[in-house]
């Protein structure tokens, strides 16, 4: 037991250290002008995607349920936080304080939506759960496209038809303008804040995994009937994992939205493709492997930009690398190769000790 605890602690320290070292290196490169403006512009999205990958791994890898609606929770967090920041841009002058409150609101709203969706969805399993979560994600995105929100001296005005139906005063300000979304969100996100949020996400997820609740969640994943037979509250722990995953997706949404000039609920940003991309990060990084999710998110986000010089062959190379990574991570031959490498390291270490 003590040996396993030491191994877990060592693994967690390596994960935190990897993130901190990456931050220090990238900051040094940015300050020294060692990376292009294009890569600098990807630093905040990289943090957001890493948070999304880690949070989805909690549902897919630790709980063992396939969710395809993660982008929907990200969308809620993005719009709630952006709307709050735009409404309070003059009333809360401290940019950092306003952003922190926006992140907290995003997490709370996304978590509440996670609970509301989780109540009916988590009764399903396998493909059925995946299809229903996918539908909920698309519903959330489409609802955001028909919301009109404005504010004037009388307070908030809301409708789902058109901006003129808000019936605001002449000096009223539109916050959410339907499919156009939100424009003028304060640019509060930066790489440092993104790394801090990623570390907080890791602390939450890794501590949950190694806690009593985490062991109960993994017991449900490994054997649903056996877990229920020994008195584990299935509904409680499934809802716990799903809602925490949704909350962290909301945090990622807040980070993402405060890095954009215009926020719109498009298929590219918050649709089916985004949910699939996050799932790809989790699968290629290793289902249940938190550190692998971060590495996969970084590599697969940077690859298309690094291969841009290849022009027409860029996406072909990207697809080939995806296949190679999948084979290495998931094929029996790839798993056997990693096991042999690990065994050689252990034997070499024992020889050195002798």
């Amino acid at each position: 037991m003590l040996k396993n605890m030491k191994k877990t602690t060592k693994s967690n320290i390596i994960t935190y250290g990897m993130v901190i070292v990456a931050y220090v290196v990238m900051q040094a490169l940015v300050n020294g002008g060692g990376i292009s403006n294009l890569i600098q512009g990807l630093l905040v999205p990289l943090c957001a995607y890493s948070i999304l990958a880690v949070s989805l791994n909690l549902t897919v890898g630790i709980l063992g349920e396939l969710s395809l609606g993660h982008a929907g929770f990200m969308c809620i967090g993005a719009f709630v936080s952006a709307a709050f920041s735009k409404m309070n841009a003059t009333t809360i002058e401290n940019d950092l304080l306003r952003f922190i409150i926006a992140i907290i609101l995003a997490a709370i709203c996304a978590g509440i939506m996670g609970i509301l969706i989780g109540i009916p969805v988590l009764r399903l399993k396998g493909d059925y759960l995946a299809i229903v979560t996918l539908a909920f994600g698309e519903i959330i995105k489409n609802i955001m496209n028909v919301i009109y929100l404005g504010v004037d001296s009388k307070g908030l005005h809301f409708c789902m038809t058109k901006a003129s139906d808000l019936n605001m005063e002449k000096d009223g300000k539109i916050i959410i303008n339907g499919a156009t979304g939100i424009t003028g969100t304060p640019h509060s996100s930066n790489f440092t804040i993104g790394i801090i949020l990623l570390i907080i996400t890791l602390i939450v997820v890794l501590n949950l995994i190694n806690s009593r609740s985490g062991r109960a969640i993994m017991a449900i994943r490994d054997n649903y009937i056996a877990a229920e037979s020994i008195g584990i509250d299935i509904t409680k722990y499934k809802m716990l994992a799903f809602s925490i995953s949704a909350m962290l997706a909301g945090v990622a949404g807040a980070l993402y939205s405060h890095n954009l000039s215009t926020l719109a609920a498009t298929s590219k940003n918050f649709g089916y493709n985004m949910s699939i991309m996050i799932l790809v990060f989790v699968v290629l990084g290793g289902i249940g492997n938190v550190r692998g999710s971060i590495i996969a998110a970084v590599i697969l986000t940077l690859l298309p930009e690094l291969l841009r010089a290849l022009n027409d062959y860029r996406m072909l190379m990207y697809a080939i690398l995806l296949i190679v990574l999948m084979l290495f991570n998931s094929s029996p031959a790839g798993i056997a190769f990693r096991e042999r490498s690990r065994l050689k390291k252990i034997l070499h270490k024992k020889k050195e000790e002798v």
Side-chain angles (χ1 to χ4, degrees), residues 214-248:
R215 290 190 289 272
I217 292 167
M218 287 185 281
I220 295 168
R221 175 197 65 190
D222 295 337
N223 195 316
Y224 182 97
I225 297 172
E228 192 173 31
S229 68
I230 61 173
I232 293 176
D233 190 334
I234 304 296
T235 304
K236 171 187 171 183
Y237 287 110
K238 288 178 78 171
M239 192 67 71
L240 176 67
F242 195 74
S243 58
I244 290 176
S245 178
M247 288 179 69
L248 294 173

Side-chain angles (χ1 to χ4, degrees), residues 29-74:
L29 288 173
V30 170
N31 294 333
I35 57 175
S36 64
N37 291 331
L38 179 64
I39 301 299
Q40 288 185 43
L42 286 174
L43 292 179
V44 172
L46 279 173
C47 294
Y49 293 150
S50 297
I51 294 170
L52 287 167
V54 172
S55 61
L56 183 60
N57 214 339
L58 183 58
T59 300
V60 176
I62 309 305
L63 180 59
E65 299 289 1
L66 181 58
S67 172
L68 294 178
H70 214 54
F73 300 123
M74 178 191 178

Side-chain angles (χ1 to χ4, degrees), residues 22-279:
Y23 170 72
V24 171
V25 171
M26 292 307 296
Q27 279 293 91
L29 288 173
V30 170
N31 294 333
I35 57 175
S36 64
N37 291 331
L38 179 64
I39 301 299
Q40 288 185 43
L42 286 174
L43 292 179
V44 172
L46 279 173
C47 294
Y49 293 150
S50 297
I51 294 170
L52 287 167
V54 172
S55 61
L56 183 60
N57 214 339
L58 183 58
T59 300
V60 176
I62 309 305
L63 180 59
E65 299 289 1
L66 181 58
S67 172
L68 294 178
H70 214 54
F73 300 123
M74 178 191 178
C75 183
I76 291 170
F79 273 82
V80 168
S81 61
F84 173 83
S85 292
K86 186 174 179 180
M87 281 191 293
N88 294 279
T90 55
T91 54
I92 304 176
E93 294 182 359
N94 189 311
D95 192 54
L96 180 60
L97 176 62
R98 185 177 61 246
F99 188 37
I100 290 172
I101 297 171
I103 291 170
I104 293 170
L105 283 175
I108 292 171
C109 292
I112 291 171
M113 185 58 69
I115 292 170
L116 294 175
I117 292 175
I119 291 170
V121 161
L122 293 178
R123 298 176 184 273
L124 304 172
K125 296 180 183 178
D127 297 340
Y128 299 103
L129 187 144
I131 292 167
V132 175
T133 52
L134 172 62
F136 271 117
E138 289 298 305
I139 289 168
I140 290 170
K141 174 181 72 69
N142 290 323
I143 288 175
M144 289 299 178
N145 276 322
V146 296
I147 287 178
Y148 293 86
L149 181 69
V151 62
D152 60 14
S153 61
K154 295 179 180 178
L156 289 174
H157 298 260
F158 173 85
C159 75
M160 299 181 72
T161 52
K162 55 186 178 180
S164 59
D165 291 340
L166 289 171
N167 297 320
M168 293 191 299
E169 298 173 346
K170 289 183 179 180
D171 60 345
K173 182 169 65 173
I174 295 177
I175 305 299
I176 305 177
N177 192 16
T180 307
I182 302 175
T183 56
T185 305
H187 281 247
S188 305
S189 295
N190 57 52
F191 185 44
T192 301
I193 293 175
I195 289 293
I196 291 170
L197 291 176
L198 177 56
I199 290 173
I200 292 171
T201 300
L202 287 172
I203 291 170
V204 171
V205 172
L206 292 175
N207 278 284
L208 176 63
I209 292 171
N210 298 317
S211 68
R212 184 177 179 181
S213 297
R215 290 190 289 272
I217 292 167
M218 287 185 281
I220 295 168
R221 175 197 65 190
D222 295 337
N223 195 316
Y224 182 97
I225 297 172
E228 192 173 31
S229 68
I230 61 173
I232 293 176
D233 190 334
I234 304 296
T235 304
K236 171 187 171 183
Y237 287 110
K238 288 178 78 171
M239 192 67 71
L240 176 67
F242 195 74
S243 58
I244 290 176
S245 178
M247 288 179 69
L248 294 173
V251 171
L255 181 66
Y256 183 81
S257 66
H258 285 73
N259 191 51
L260 300 173
S261 299
T262 301
L263 177 68
T266 63
S267 296
K268 181 181 178 181
N269 288 348
F270 304 111
Y272 168 76
N273 290 334
M274 176 62 80
S275 291
I276 292 298
M277 186 178 76
I278 301 165
L279 182 62

